[in-house]
């Protein structure tokens, strides 16, 4: 059987869904469950990664140190992972403390065309003999050739694997096949895939990625994540096992917890709304849902028109402030 390594992003991507206010008690309880269920990697922190708590991006009620310390204390077998965006997270202020706390897996993420920005972070972490996974976000905004070039750049810096994120929930299975196959052919390191469910294909796309060579697959319990959410952990596990993959995760514990989390972590299970479908089709970050609705109401314009305009401008995560600006100009 083929071994797949699952990264559970519920405590990081899920933070997007609740405006980055996941509490220390929630982290503790979920990490205890994940550890007992045998989930290989548990990703924890602000939705935009370490160092991201701010008025512009979203304030967290807890520091990175507090969140990671609680997670590490409750992960005895599972590995602790973090999301790092160079330009937001600095080596001295953010990465070094994470190393001291005992983070196991460092995921260094850039926009899909800006892999060169990962150089200092990846090289520093490899100099400390850490496990480093390069991440190419918003990957639907780049063609396959560009993705492979940027993944190779991260490989050259020392990354142990490269994950591509369908941050916009845009891909069809054929798109996943094309990109993952090209990455497997072009790299000598492992490949991974992170799905969003805007078009209802997160699980199918994740399975396609695995079938064509991806080793690392991301998922969240109940799909808890930005916008339409991610691949559902409790759905992905049986689908993968029925397809002949070995995950090493206790499915019974996961399916029981999938009900329990609705009482302590997930306020409502993500569903793909018309807004999410439109952002997926227009290759816009899944987390834009709330700012788009707010701007459309404030300026009295149809959110569909706003989404098409934002898509034409190719806005990416971190440019939320421009949504209001574009809506204002459209109103005029």
């Amino acid at each position: 059987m083929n071994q797949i390594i699952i990264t559970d992003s519920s405590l990081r991507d899920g933070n997007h869904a609740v405006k980055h206010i996941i509490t220390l008690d929630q982290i503790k309880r979920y990490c205890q469950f994940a550890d007992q269920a045998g989930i290989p990697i548990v990703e924890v922190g602000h939705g935009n990664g370490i160092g991201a708590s701010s008025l512009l991006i979203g304030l967290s009620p807890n520091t990175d140190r507090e969140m990671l310390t609680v997670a590490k204390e409750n992960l005895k077998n599972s590995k602790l992972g973090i999301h790092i965006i160079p330009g937001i997270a600095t080596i001295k202020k953010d990465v070094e403390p994470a190393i001291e706390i005992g983070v196991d897996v460092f995921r260094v993420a850039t926009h899909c065309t800006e892999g060169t920005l990962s150089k200092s972070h990846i090289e520093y972490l490899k100099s400390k003999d850490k496990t480093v996974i390069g991440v190419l976000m918003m990957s639907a905004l780049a063609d396959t050739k560009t993705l492979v070039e940027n993944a190779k750049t991260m490989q050259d810096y020392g990354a142990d694997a490269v994950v591509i994120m369908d941050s916009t929930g845009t891909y069809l299975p054929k798109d996943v096949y094309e990109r993952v196959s090209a990455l497997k052919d072009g790299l000598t390191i492992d490949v991974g895939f992170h799905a969003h469910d805007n078009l209802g294909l997160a699980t199918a796309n994740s399975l396609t990625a695995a079938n064509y060579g991806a080793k690392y697959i991301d998922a969240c319990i109940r799909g808890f994540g930005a916008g339409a959410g991610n691949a559902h952990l409790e759905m992905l596990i049986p689908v993968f096992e029925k397809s002949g993959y070995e995950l090493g995760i206790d499915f019974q514990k996961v399916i029981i917890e999938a009900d329990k989390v609705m009482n302590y972590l997930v306020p409502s299970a993500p569903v793909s709304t018309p807004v999410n479908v439109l952002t997926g089709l227009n290759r816009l970050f899944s987390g834009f849902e709330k700012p788009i609705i707010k701007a459309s109401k404030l300026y009295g314009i149809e959110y569909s028109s706003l989404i098409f305009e934002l898509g034409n401008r190719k806005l990416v995560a971190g440019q939320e402030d421009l949504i209001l600006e574009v809506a204002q100009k459209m109103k005029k």
Side-chain angles (χ1 to χ4, degrees), residues 1 39 42 73 100 172 175 184 219 223 230 244 283 300 317:
M1 298 179 77
I39 294 173
V42 179
E73 289 173 349
E100 293 170 8
L172 302 178
D175 301 314
K184 281 296 294 180
N230 301 68
R283 300 185 297 175

Side-chain angles (χ1 to χ4, degrees), residues 279-298:
T279 56
L281 291 173
N282 285 275
R283 300 185 297 175
L284 291 169
F285 172 50
S286 295
F288 280 172
E289 176 188 6
K290 291 181 176 65
I292 285 171
I293 292 174
K294 177 182 176 181
S296 68
K297 289 179 178 178
L298 181 63

Side-chain angles (χ1 to χ4, degrees), residues 72 75 78-82 98 102-106 130-132:
K72 187 64 179 178
L75 295 174
S78 301
K79 293 181 178 179
L80 172 59
I82 58 173
V103 169
D104 302 291
V105 179
F106 297 79
K130 299 301 178 183
T131 299
V132 183

Side-chain angles (χ1 to χ4, degrees), residues 232-257:
H232 289 232
L233 180 67
E234 70 280 0
M235 187 185 301
L236 186 145
I237 293 171
V239 168
F240 269 53
E241 290 182 344
K242 283 171 65 69
S243 300
Y245 292 100
E246 175 62 47
L247 303 180
I249 298 173
D250 189 326
F251 174 60
Q252 185 174 3
K253 283 185 169 61
V254 171
I255 205 69
I256 291 172
E257 197 71 17

Side-chain angles (χ1 to χ4, degrees), residues 76 154 162 164 265 321:
K76 308 302 180 184
M154 289 178 158
V162 173
I164 59 169
L265 179 64
D321 56 322

Side-chain angles (χ1 to χ4, degrees), residues 11 21-31 264-265:
L11 295 177
I21 60 168
I22 289 178
T23 68
L24 298 180
D25 285 342
Q26 290 171 320
I27 292 171
K28 176 180 179 180
R29 179 167 176 179
Y30 192 79
C31 284
Y264 77 89
L265 179 64

